[in-house]
Amino acid sequence: LPLSLRMGKLSGRHLRKLPTPVCSLSTLQKLYISGTGITELPDEIGGLQELRILALDFNKLEEVPETLCRLPHLTRLYLGSNRLFGLPAEFSQLKTLRCLWIESNYLYHFPQVLLQMPELQSLQMGDNRLKTLPSGLPLMKGLRGLWLYGNRFEEFPKPLLRMSQLHILDVDRNKLTEFPDLSHLRRLRLFSYDHNPVEAPPNVADTVFVVGEGAQEFLEAREERLQALRQQKELQSEAGLLVASDSS
């Protein structure tokens, strides 16, 4: 299909509401409506049955309409910087959704409906009002990246200790004063904890890159330790070769 029939760009235009004719473009695969000032979406948006990417960030949306939850091929949804307090129960119908950005909204509670979406891989929830996470969070087995910066966590959420499949975890700018042992999270590759009142980096696996107060010293000390271990192994290997050659 021609690009113009597959992608719509309305970002930056001042719109009171989404023009209904846009919703009749049944072949549309990408639609960008960022920063337009819209406060609601028409029911007709459910007609965009081929849509893969929908960007609705930097608007004034107060709710996600049920009809948006009926887009059978949607993989990426950007809802950041709106006025959302939650997500509708029908949201779990978005079976193909892999990436959800819902940062800078008014989420006081983790939307329970997300626990019914085990295929979601990337969840951006920074700059909300979260204080806790649900015990059922590990049900989201597909989750690889979770951004929780700028929330109101005072204690490290225990459900995260069972998220063994996470690759990226960001808890910057919260009120965390200590961390539990995180060394069992073997798939973790990036852990960011900057701007928390915690005094020391957490105990993590050697494969994790950490970002935060004292992290640089921690990483340098770890690299020295790992280098010493590598040298020790090399010496042991050389010694073993010498013994083998002497015995022959």
Side-chain angles (χ1 to χ4, degrees):
L1 288 168
L3 186 62
S4 59
L5 295 179
R6 289 185 279 127
M7 181 168 66
K9 286 188 175 182
L10 297 171
S11 296
R13 301 183 188 183
H14 183 68
L15 302 172
R16 288 187 177 179
K17 59 181 181 179
L18 183 65
T20 306
V22 173
C23 301
S24 64
L25 301 172
S26 58
T27 58
L28 212 58
Q29 294 184 9
K30 303 175 183 179
L31 181 57
Y32 301 93
I33 322 170
S34 304
T36 62
I38 59 171
T39 57
E40 59 183 357
L41 294 168
D43 287 344
E44 289 83 357
I45 198 166
L48 299 174
Q49 291 288 290
E50 293 300 317
L51 208 60
R52 268 69 170 170
I53 299 174
L54 178 57
L56 292 164
D57 42 341
F58 298 99
N59 284 301
K60 298 176 181 178
L61 298 173
E62 295 183 2
E63 60 181 22
V64 175
E66 181 186 337
T67 49
L68 188 148
C69 305
R70 297 180 190 151
L71 300 175
H73 302 296
L74 197 66
T75 60
R76 294 173 175 267
L77 178 58
Y78 301 100
L79 291 168
S81 299
N82 276 285
R83 299 174 177 177
L84 300 173
F85 283 85
L87 294 170
E90 296 81 8
F91 200 80
S92 61
Q93 295 173 18
L94 294 170
K95 300 297 185 187
T96 57
L97 198 65
R98 298 294 178 266
C99 173
L100 173 63
W101 286 30
I102 193 169
E103 76 282 7
S104 301
N105 276 284
Y106 301 121
L107 299 181
Y108 286 84
H109 303 284
F110 187 94
Q112 291 286 325
V113 67
L114 294 178
L115 303 182
Q116 301 172 42
M117 304 181 72
E119 303 301 320
L120 201 64
Q121 296 174 1
S122 175
L123 181 55
Q124 162 63 280
M125 303 187 79
D127 289 325
N128 275 287
R129 313 284 196 274
L130 300 174
K131 290 183 177 180
T132 60
L133 294 176
S135 59
L137 191 67
L139 293 171
M140 302 183 72
K141 296 181 183 302
L143 210 56
R144 298 294 180 265
L146 180 57
W147 288 263
L148 297 167
Y149 60 80
N151 276 281
R152 298 177 177 177
F153 296 106
E154 295 181 7
E155 295 182 5
F156 189 83
K158 286 186 172 63
L160 291 175
L161 296 175
R162 294 182 285 130
M163 298 294 285
S164 57
Q165 79 284 10
L166 277 181
H167 292 184
I168 298 170
L169 179 57
D170 186 337
V171 293
D172 286 359
R173 291 191 287 111
N174 278 283
K175 300 175 182 179
L176 301 171
T177 56
E178 60 180 351
F179 291 115
D181 191 332
L182 303 178
S183 60
H184 65 288
L185 299 178
R186 292 289 171 181
R187 295 186 183 178
L188 201 61
R189 292 296 175 265
L190 173 65
F191 181 73
S192 188
Y193 65 93
D194 219 2
H195 301 101
N196 277 285
V198 66
E199 293 181 0
N203 185 25
V204 292
D206 288 336
T207 48
V208 183
F209 186 83
V210 290
V211 179
E213 185 72 28
Q216 189 60 37
E217 294 85 349
F218 170 81
L219 290 171
E220 288 173 359
R222 183 172 74 185
E223 182 53 35
E224 286 180 14
R225 174 173 57 81
L226 292 175
Q227 196 168 346
L229 282 172
R230 285 193 292 268
Q231 289 174 346
Q232 185 179 349
K233 283 184 179 179
E234 287 172 7
L235 288 171
Q236 288 174 345
S237 179
E238 288 174 7
L241 288 172
L242 284 172
V243 169
S245 62
D246 287 347
S247 61
S248 61

